[in-house]
Amino acid sequence: MTRVATADNWNSALLDLMGAQRRQFDAQRQVSDQRVAVDLKGFGRTSETLTAFNTAKARLDGHVETNKSVAQRLETQNLALERVADAAVGARQQIADALAVDRAEGMMQGIRNWYLQFQDALNAKHQGRYLFAGARVDQPPFQAETMAELAASPTVDELFVNDDLKAASRLDDATTVETGFLANEIGRDLAEIFRDIQNFENGPNGPLTGKLTDAQRTFLEGLLSRFETQHDRVLESVARNGALQKRVETNMDSLTAQSNSLETLIGEKAEVDMAEAITRLQQAQVAVQASAQILSQLKNTTLLDLLR
């Protein structure tokens, strides 16, 4: 005679229902999160691989952000260097125009305006720090705000207070490049020209107004080639800065591509196949309903019911 235990049937049915509910919960979470698990323990043997992928991606993303910051700094440097070059061209043009008409009305005012642009460009800032100051980023590297102050200084070199440490940037694990320029290297000789003009204006052959004298004409003609030479030198700095911009851009594109590739690999291991997840969810829901129905039926299959 086979013995039927009501308690055993109930325990078995309850365990089946709990298991079905657990599978439904897991499937529902995967459909909602679109991930295999919420922690590394849930990934099993692939957890070490995922950890390595995530660590590498975080490092790459950090380098990408650094490259973006460097690119922004180089863009600001480019604008400042171009303004220095424009100041040299502008001041030269003021002199050429005066020589063309043999008169100097308004020439000095125009040159002073170009000097202010030159001075402002040398003291350009990026994120609150002076670009061309070396490591002394808390003070303007060029100290003469006007041509009068420039002429009053015993030497031009005393007006440049930047140090010799050029900014360097680490682009990735293996690459560090020098990305900074120094104010005295960019503008020292150009400042000397502006100083000579102001000293000539203050000297016995000045002021530079009205019809030009022979001495004034000779002096101004000599300035044309000097300004042109300095303009070409500043353009060399502009070109070097542009080459750095291109290098950083290329490096950033490469790092971004590597990061995207790792993100794809991580997704392949961490993200669920939504079609499979939805199928498992539907199967789990059916199992829960079936287990619940069995429990409902067990209420009518006890020994007492049979005796009645």
Side-chain angles (χ1 to χ4, degrees):
M1 178 177 179
T2 302
R3 182 176 181 182
V4 178
T6 301
D8 290 342
N9 288 339
W10 273 92
N11 286 338
S12 177
L14 282 172
L15 289 174
D16 288 342
L17 178 60
M18 291 171 64
Q21 289 176 330
R22 180 61 186 176
R23 290 192 297 274
Q24 181 184 15
F25 174 80
D26 290 340
Q28 182 66 59
R29 182 196 54 74
Q30 289 184 347
V31 170
S32 300
D33 298 343
Q34 300 183 16
R35 293 179 65 83
V36 173
V38 295
D39 53 31
L40 290 176
K41 181 174 65 176
F43 289 100
R45 295 181 179 179
T46 62
S47 60
E48 292 183 5
T49 303
L50 280 173
T51 299
F53 283 171
N54 282 316
T55 300
K57 186 177 184 304
R59 187 173 66 253
L60 288 170
D61 291 344
H63 288 318
V64 169
E65 291 303 314
T66 298
N67 277 251
K68 288 180 180 179
S69 178
V70 173
Q72 292 171 357
R73 186 176 191 274
L74 290 173
E75 177 61 25
T76 306
Q77 278 186 178
N78 181 69
L79 294 174
L81 290 169
E82 287 182 344
R83 293 188 70 210
V84 173
D86 290 344
V89 171
R92 184 188 185 280
Q93 189 60 48
Q94 291 288 153
I95 295 171
D97 291 344
L99 288 170
V101 298
D102 201 31
R103 300 191 67 85
E105 283 93 353
M107 184 193 71
M108 282 303 298
Q109 183 57 49
I111 290 176
R112 290 189 183 98
N113 290 338
W114 287 114
Y115 173 80
L116 290 176
Q117 175 171 313
F118 161 75
Q119 180 264 343
D120 184 64
L122 286 183
N123 292 331
K125 289 183 177 182
H126 176 69
Q127 295 182 348
R129 295 170 174 252
Y130 291 99
L131 280 172
F132 305 124
R136 304 179 68 178
V137 295
D138 58 339
Q139 62 178 330
F142 184 52
Q143 298 286 311
E145 294 186 2
T146 65
M147 288 179 63
E149 292 181 16
L150 179 61
S153 176
T155 65
V156 167
D157 292 328
E158 291 184 6
L159 299 170
F160 287 93
V161 297
N162 59 274
D163 61 18
D164 296 329
L165 185 61
K166 295 182 181 180
S169 304
R170 186 178 183 184
L171 303 184
D172 54 43
D173 290 336
T175 307
T176 300
V177 295
E178 189 178 85
T179 55
F181 294 81
L182 299 177
N184 61 334
E185 292 182 354
I186 299 167
R188 189 243 175 244
D189 292 339
L190 192 52
E192 188 76 56
I193 300 174
F194 283 112
R195 182 172 182 269
D196 289 346
I197 294 173
Q198 187 62 52
N199 284 333
F200 187 90
E201 166 81 0
N202 297 339
N205 291 313
L208 289 164
T209 57
K211 182 175 175 59
L212 296 175
T213 66
D214 290 342
Q216 290 174 340
R217 173 172 284 276
T218 300
F219 172 72
L220 293 176
E221 287 174 347
L223 294 177
L224 295 178
S225 60
R226 293 178 67 188
F227 270 121
E228 186 172 354
T229 298
Q230 295 310 311
H231 172 256
D232 292 343
R233 286 190 59 191
V234 177
L235 284 185
E236 291 177 3
S237 297
V238 174
R240 290 201 305 272
N241 191 80
L244 288 169
Q245 286 180 289
K246 183 62 178 178
R247 182 174 182 179
V248 171
E249 179 184 350
T250 301
N251 195 68
M252 186 162 51
D253 290 342
S254 175
L255 292 170
T256 301
Q258 294 177 55
S259 178
N260 291 340
S261 178
L262 277 176
E263 186 173 359
T264 300
L265 292 174
I266 292 170
E268 290 176 353
K269 292 185 175 297
E271 296 177 4
V272 297
D273 184 317
M274 288 302 294
E276 289 186 12
I278 292 172
T279 299
R280 287 196 299 271
L281 176 59
Q282 292 173 342
Q283 291 173 343
Q285 289 172 339
V286 171
V288 169
Q289 293 172 359
S291 296
Q293 188 174 1
I294 290 172
L295 277 174
S296 177
Q297 291 175 352
L298 282 176
K299 291 189 302 183
N300 300 321
T301 57
T302 65
L303 181 59
L304 291 176
D305 291 329
L306 292 174
L307 292 175
R308 284 198 296 269

